[in-house]
Amino acid sequence: MPKRLSLKIRARAAFEAAGLGAAWLRASFTADSDRLFLWSPVLVAAGVGTYFSLGFEPQPWPAAVLLPLALAALWLSRNHPVKALCAGIGFFLLLGFGAAVLRAQMVAAPVLARPMSGPLVAKVVAVESTESGSLSAILEPRSFARLTASETPAKVRISVRLRGAVLRPGAVVTLRARLMPPPEPVQPGGFDYARQAWFDGMGAVGFAYTLPEELSPPSGRDRAVLADLRMRIGERIRSVVGGTSGAVAAALINGERASIPDDVSEDLRAAGIFHVLSISGLHMVLFAGSVFWVVRAALALWPSMALRYPIKKWAAAAALFGATFYLLISGAAIATQRAWIMISLMFLAILLDRPALTMRNVMLAALVILLWRPDSLIGASFQMSFAAVIALIAFYESSWMRSWTSRPRATGLGALPALAGSYVLGIALTSIVAGAATGAIAAYHFNRIALYGLAGNMAAMPLVGIVVMPMALLSLLLMPFGLDGPALWAMGKGVEGMLLVAHEVASWNGADRLVPEAPLGALLLVVLGSLWLALWREKWRFAGIVPMVAGLALWGAASRPDVLIDRDAALFAVRTANGSLALTSSRPAYAAEQWLRHDGDGRRPREASKSEALACDRHGCIYKEEGRPVIAFAGTLDAVVEDCAKADIVIAKISVPYRIRRECDARLLLDYFSFWRNGATALTFTESGGIDVTTSLAARGNRPWVQRRGDQ
């Protein structure tokens, strides 16, 4: 066959294959066109994410101008599918971006510019008891030190470690306090508490020097009543149940987790059941579902009423009321608000004779939350809860699962083994699907994977679902009458069992596996692929596996810095030849722990501070290893002068005069002023022998929650 003819045949075959592929894609898209709405919150999330990825604060007017234009384009193109699709994409992207810009403008409040001490007069908003017995409180300052009203933060969080301290929500108190700006990230690109505090309206954090003195009692006419009720419920549960079980039981009802010991929290994380402590979808379903079942079962005892009236709707209304009450006494955290919106949509669907739990309802809840609190997108709680729910609904609405759940069931006593087996299998499947959906997100945010999460959930969740949460509901119903003792006792025993499971699973070898920090792009690929797999129904959804695999392949591709300096120049770390970090000290402990965790290093700071390559004395430390730059961490001016003559890099925890800087022979000299101005700093050695310097200030950008010290 002539070569030219062979090429023509191959080209024709390629065109035909491309045509068949395009036709298959068009057919798949047409078949799944009723699922397009499910992508609207994804596009809104992309718009919100675009806002947070910027290095500057955008003006609100571009979104305000473009959004109506996009809406008009969407309306005008409603009869042209392709144009309408493009207009819809643009509209929802702008909607998310505009919501984030508007939210940042709405929550704007004064932030403390520098650490200060002085008398504080404030109203108590909320109080929690910690494990050590101290108090952690949120206050609304009326005055502080010599700040003017326009400079005083709207809310502050303080710790009161003084014995005998009493704070009552709603009361106005006075005390002497030390307040500081919300802390910056401990390394470039790390968790930014200052950003979270900005969107929470929190302008400072600190601690009390003196016992609070109450100037006026709670008025009993505002939201402080709920805060006081929460505190009283927590105190009652902790006093009746007692010990660690009491602290966990109280957290399951009022959301206060400060009194739970750190080692218990670590066991729960390692066992993969820490999600039980976050009042979210699981708790709302168990709590409101119990109300729904009890009310409907009670009404069904009267056949005449059950046959003549819509008792299912009455039960749904009662469950909606119960869910709202649970939301209020739990502190209405973002995760709880999200769960309340989702379960409210479910019960409203029952009231309107619509299917209760559908993918459409879940994505509608996501859309509402993203428009209401767009900043929740960047939190692990939002990502993990919606990832789990979306994956579970996609799994259980699949054709083979529907055929399995719709098959005829046995009745009578002979059905008990089958029901028990179905319950255990349901827990296993739910744990596997939810664990797979949230695993990458947990690894990205917390650098850990619970390898035995399936075992932990299968052993603990029956206790939570059958004993703990039903007894929590019963205890709340009986508490006003003083008859809650037996219910709280039973709840405490269930919590004890859950904690025993957590401790046992956590003790298994490798239960809590740390993983190194991953690039954001890897997580985005995994999430996008997972959404593609879950939101479509046709076979083209399996194309989502490709970006998921690509994201997992890129997981370890993040560059790891060779030198880390904390924001106060009190701690330094250098990466040794074997790839691990060596710390100049084990303090400050928080920064050291975060650096090691981001590195996927399970050592304690004390262990990491011992290295043969790092020699320290009272003047500072010096790092030497063959084939690597010599790095000096100097603590005095004399040490800086000496190290400049023999080190490639000099990092000083003090300010260095200009004359010494000019005469220094080191390739790079950084001093305290650099860290004071730019925050935590990372150095990375390039293959060409250069040194890349990354600062927290540069990574955070020029945003309203970022304080630029050099401009003050």
Side-chain angles (χ1 to χ4, degrees):
M1 181 181 296
K3 185 175 182 181
R4 182 176 299 176
L5 181 59
S6 174
L7 290 174
K8 286 183 178 180
I9 293 174
R10 291 179 182 177
R12 184 180 301 168
F15 281 122
E16 289 177 354
L20 290 173
W24 177 74
L25 287 175
R26 283 195 299 270
S28 299
F29 179 80
T30 302
D32 270 341
S33 59
D34 61 324
R35 312 275 285 185
L36 286 176
F37 169 78
L38 304 182
W39 287 91
S40 58
V42 179
L43 294 170
V44 169
V48 174
T50 300
Y51 166 81
F52 283 106
S53 68
L54 296 177
F56 61 92
E57 187 64 20
Q59 295 296 320
W61 64 264
V65 171
L66 293 175
L67 193 58
L69 295 178
L71 182 60
L74 181 60
W75 173 257
L76 294 174
S77 62
R78 63 189 184 278
N79 296 322
H80 301 81
V82 176
K83 293 181 180 179
L85 178 63
C86 295
I89 292 173
F91 171 75
F92 284 110
L93 285 171
L94 283 170
L95 186 62
F97 185 83
V101 174
L102 180 62
R103 173 71 178 167
Q105 298 280 334
M106 291 176 62
V107 301
V111 177
L112 196 66
R114 62 186 184 280
M116 296 180 66
S117 300
L120 171 65
V121 177
K123 180 180 179 180
V124 181
V125 177
V127 184
E128 286 189 50
S129 297
T130 66
E131 175 193 358
S132 62
S134 61
L135 301 178
S136 175
I138 297 176
L139 308 179
E140 291 180 347
R142 302 284 176 85
S143 65
F144 175 63
R146 290 175 292 177
L147 295 180
T148 64
S150 61
E151 296 172 329
T152 304
K155 287 193 295 186
V156 301
R157 181 184 291 277
I158 68 165
S159 174
V160 185
R161 302 186 181 94
L162 303 171
R163 183 173 300 178
V166 176
L167 288 170
R168 296 194 294 167
V172 177
V173 299
T174 180
L175 49 85
R176 290 191 63 84
R178 173 74 169 174
L179 296 183
M180 295 155 284
E184 304 169 0
V186 297
Q187 69 181 76
F191 172 68
D192 194 346
Y193 179 79
R195 180 177 59 191
Q196 177 180 304
W198 172 267
F199 285 97
D200 289 340
M202 200 78 61
V205 297
F207 57 90
Y209 283 127
T210 62
L211 286 171
E213 178 184 346
E214 195 168 286
L215 298 179
S216 63
S219 63
R221 292 180 304 211
D222 55 16
R223 60 184 179 179
V225 174
L226 281 172
D228 184 65
L229 177 62
R230 289 181 61 221
M231 187 174 69
R232 291 177 182 274
I233 289 174
E235 290 173 351
R236 171 66 178 170
I237 295 171
R238 285 190 290 269
S239 65
V240 173
V241 178
T244 302
S245 297
V248 174
L252 294 175
I253 293 180
N254 69 359
E256 296 180 355
R257 294 186 285 181
S259 58
I260 299 176
D262 290 340
D263 58 335
V264 173
S265 296
E266 289 300 316
D267 283 350
L268 291 169
R269 286 191 181 93
I273 54 177
F274 187 78
H275 61 88
V276 173
L277 295 184
S278 176
I279 299 178
S280 54
L282 170 68
H283 305 75
M284 276 290 177
V285 168
L286 293 175
F287 191 92
S290 298
V291 174
F292 179 78
W293 184 87
V294 169
V295 172
R296 191 178 184 188
L299 293 174
L301 294 176
W302 286 271
S304 58
M305 180 177 291
L307 294 173
R308 295 175 58 187
Y309 298 100
I311 63 171
K312 182 179 179 181
K313 294 185 178 182
W314 292 0
L320 186 57
F321 175 81
T324 304
F325 175 71
Y326 191 28
L327 169 73
L328 295 175
I329 65 168
S330 67
I334 296 300
T336 317
Q337 294 174 15
R338 185 167 56 249
W340 178 82
I341 291 175
M342 292 174 64
I343 205 162
S344 296
L345 288 173
M346 290 172 55
F347 288 124
L348 286 174
I350 293 175
L351 292 172
L352 299 174
D353 296 317
R354 304 287 294 176
L357 187 60
T358 64
M359 190 71 79
R360 183 175 292 268
N361 287 350
V362 172
M363 300 310 281
L364 180 60
L367 187 60
V368 170
I369 292 166
L370 285 170
L371 294 178
W372 176 40
R373 292 291 301 266
D375 50 292
S376 64
L377 171 71
I378 57 179
S381 176
F382 176 93
Q383 297 170 18
M384 293 181 69
S385 61
F386 272 105
V389 174
I390 290 170
L392 288 170
I393 292 179
F395 177 72
Y396 282 106
E397 75 175 8
S398 62
S399 57
W400 66 275
M401 276 303 298
R402 287 201 304 269
S403 63
W404 181 74
T405 55
S406 62
R407 74 186 193 279
R409 306 282 182 178
T411 58
L413 293 176
L416 291 179
L419 288 173
S422 296
Y423 181 75
V424 173
L425 181 60
I427 292 177
L429 291 175
T430 299
S431 299
I432 292 171
V433 173
T438 59
I441 300 172
Y444 178 83
H445 286 282
F446 308 119
N447 302 100
R448 62 175 73 224
I449 299 174
L451 294 182
Y452 306 119
L454 175 60
N457 279 273
M458 289 192 65
M461 294 317 295
L463 286 171
V464 176
I466 298 174
V467 179
V468 176
M469 292 310 297
M471 290 300 102
L473 172 60
L474 184 60
S475 66
L476 286 176
L477 294 175
L478 297 177
M479 199 172 289
F481 310 102
L483 303 175
D484 55 333
L488 287 177
W489 177 86
M491 182 184 180
K493 293 301 179 184
V495 171
E496 281 183 22
M498 182 184 75
L499 295 180
L500 285 174
V501 168
H503 182 69
E504 173 61 29
V505 175
S507 66
W508 296 353
N509 185 34
D512 192 15
R513 181 71 58 85
L514 289 177
V515 294
E517 185 179 12
L520 177 60
L523 178 66
L524 293 178
L525 283 172
V526 172
V527 170
L528 179 61
S530 302
L531 288 170
W532 192 272
L533 186 63
L535 297 186
W536 299 125
R537 279 188 307 237
E538 297 299 311
K539 291 183 178 179
W540 70 328
R541 70 183 188 274
F542 293 110
I545 296 175
V546 175
M548 291 172 64
V549 172
L552 294 175
L554 291 173
W555 202 262
S559 62
R560 297 195 291 171
D562 292 289
V563 181
L564 286 166
I565 308 103
D566 87 329
R567 56 198 172 211
D568 299 316
L571 179 69
F572 311 97
V574 60
R575 191 171 304 282
T576 60
N578 64 9
S580 63
L581 288 176
L583 305 178
T584 57
S585 169
S586 60
R587 300 181 63 86
Y590 178 75
E593 290 171 357
Q594 294 301 303
W595 289 352
L596 293 172
R597 182 174 67 82
H598 278 245
D599 217 45
D601 193 334
R603 293 178 299 164
R604 298 290 183 185
R606 186 176 298 276
E607 301 173 67
S609 62
K610 300 174 182 177
S611 172
E612 295 181 357
L614 194 63
C616 297
D617 57 25
R618 61 190 180 91
H619 300 293
C621 300
I622 190 161
Y623 164 76
K624 287 183 179 180
E625 272 192 302
E626 186 177 351
R628 295 177 65 82
V630 176
I631 306 171
F633 305 97
T636 64
L637 278 179
D638 290 340
V640 171
V641 173
E642 181 182 348
D643 292 334
C644 277
K646 59 184 181 182
D648 298 294
I649 299 171
V650 177
I651 300 171
K653 61 175 65 177
I654 57 173
S655 296
V656 178
Y658 174 74
R659 178 183 59 80
I660 297 178
R661 298 176 62 86
R662 185 184 59 187
E663 296 175 355
C664 184
D665 293 331
R667 293 166 54 194
L668 179 66
L669 169 62
L670 297 174
D671 68 349
Y672 174 80
F673 180 76
S674 173
F675 311 127
W676 173 83
R677 180 168 182 165
N678 298 308
T681 302
L683 310 181
T684 305
F685 305 145
T686 64
E687 294 182 358
S688 61
I691 304 172
D692 285 340
V693 181
T694 307
T695 67
S696 177
L697 181 65
R700 299 169 77 200
N702 187 15
R703 309 309 295 267
W705 53 84
V706 178
Q707 292 189 327
R708 309 183 76 85
R709 292 176 176 172
D711 298 335
Q712 296 172 8

